[in-house]
Amino acid sequence: MVPQAGTLPEHVRVAFGVKDAEPRPVVWAGQRAWHCAEVLLRPVADNAVAAWSAGVLEGLDVEAVRLARPVRASDGRWVVAGWAASRFLAGASEPRHDDVVSASLRLHAATANVQRPRLLDNRDDLLARSAAAAFGERRFALDEATGGRLFTELAAHRRPMKSAPQVVHGELFGAVLFDGDGVPVVLDLVPFWRPAEWAAAVVAVDAIAWGGADEGLIDRWAHLDEWPQALLRAALYRLALHAQHPDASTRSIAGLERVAGLVAARL
């Protein structure tokens, strides 16, 4: 069971050394959390992923990107009763979509040598299934009205990619804040084993579909080696995810329909 941010247990505050700090509820990059002095406490959906993410971020250095360094509990654990902690970094969400794409590429240059985590071996959640469908590794019956039809049309243009897979954060859109100096701030990692350009392309697809980005965002990164196919797989990923999502509707797919048209025109 995922703990609720609205009920921060005292023993969690004790474990992470902030018992005497006044907890203040905040929303950090869309996540409900508690700001306790210099520490941010947040509930996590998957203890294993949160612990892996903290272990990677502890020693990672990324050019021109600030990482919210993880904080260990008093007994050395990264996660206590479904809660994780990091150093609090102030920041705000801004529509700086090119900067997020750039941050994605720099982040993944730093994670290029991170070993594939074993926790991905048997992963079968909605995100993993959608990514596998986008790369042609698995097939699913997708609802035609909420993404399946567009998925089939776009998938016909899929061609092999030469870029090697690596550890990437596959859900960066909306998860990057900017500090007072305009430096992007990243809290954690949502791991995928995919090419780095794909993760950047997911940011671009999301930004155009839901973030109000102009279509020129796609063309400004066209110099990347496999950008068209990375974009195609990013669009397929989101279409597959939307078509399988229980809250999907013909209204919520409008942004993805626009992106699909833009991507198809560039293949």
Side-chain angles (χ1 to χ4, degrees):
M1 181 176 179
V2 179
Q4 299 300 309
T7 55
L8 175 60
E10 182 177 354
H11 75 274
V12 171
R13 293 165 57 195
V14 171
F16 286 108
V18 291
K19 177 185 176 182
D20 297 326
E22 181 179 356
R24 182 168 62 89
V26 296
V27 176
W28 204 104
Q31 299 187 40
R32 297 179 64 202
W34 288 90
H35 180 194
C36 301
E38 297 180 354
V39 174
L40 183 77
L41 291 172
R42 69 188 192 281
V44 298
D46 187 311
N47 290 0
V49 170
W52 170 86
S53 173
V56 173
L57 292 179
E58 181 184 32
L60 196 68
D61 289 313
V62 184
E63 180 185 358
V65 174
R66 295 186 70 192
L67 303 176
R69 296 298 182 186
V71 173
R72 289 184 184 272
S74 56
D75 61 3
R77 287 182 293 169
W78 291 121
V79 180
V80 174
W83 290 80
S86 63
R87 293 297 171 190
F88 178 79
L89 295 177
S93 178
E94 299 181 16
R96 300 171 57 168
H97 307 304
D98 285 280
D99 289 339
V100 179
V101 174
S102 179
S104 172
L105 294 170
R106 294 196 302 276
L107 173 64
H108 298 134
T111 61
N113 294 321
V114 175
Q115 293 185 346
R116 185 181 187 277
R118 288 182 295 176
L119 57 84
L120 294 180
D121 289 349
N122 299 312
R123 184 178 173 188
D124 191 36
D125 58 22
L126 192 56
L127 298 181
R129 291 195 299 272
S130 299
F135 279 80
E137 298 162 356
R138 297 179 66 178
R139 291 188 177 185
F140 302 98
L142 300 175
D143 181 78
E144 290 287 311
T146 59
R149 178 184 58 80
L150 278 174
F151 182 97
T152 300
E153 293 175 0
L154 281 181
H157 299 282
R158 196 164 42 203
R159 301 292 181 268
M161 291 184 69
K162 298 179 182 178
S163 301
Q166 63 163 87
V167 166
V168 297
H169 187 320
E171 294 288 325
L172 271 176
F173 180 74
V176 176
L177 301 185
F178 291 88
D179 68 13
D181 296 321
V183 178
V185 179
V186 175
L187 176 66
D188 57 10
L189 298 173
V190 180
F192 289 78
W193 188 250
R194 299 294 175 188
E197 283 190 30
W198 171 80
V202 172
V203 173
V205 165
D206 289 353
I208 292 174
W210 299 297
D214 65 284
E215 65 179 78
L217 176 64
I218 289 178
D219 299 320
R220 289 192 290 274
W221 296 94
H223 59 280
L224 296 177
D225 291 341
E226 297 192 274
W227 191 237
Q229 286 295 316
L231 274 174
L232 173 62
R233 283 163 174 76
L236 290 173
Y237 168 61
R238 283 302 187 216
L239 286 167
L241 183 60
H242 189 273
Q244 297 177 82
H245 200 282
D247 297 327
S249 70
T250 53
R251 292 181 58 188
S252 58
I253 199 174
L256 286 177
E257 290 176 333
R258 176 170 178 253
V259 172
L262 295 174
V263 171
R266 288 159 174 79
L267 295 174

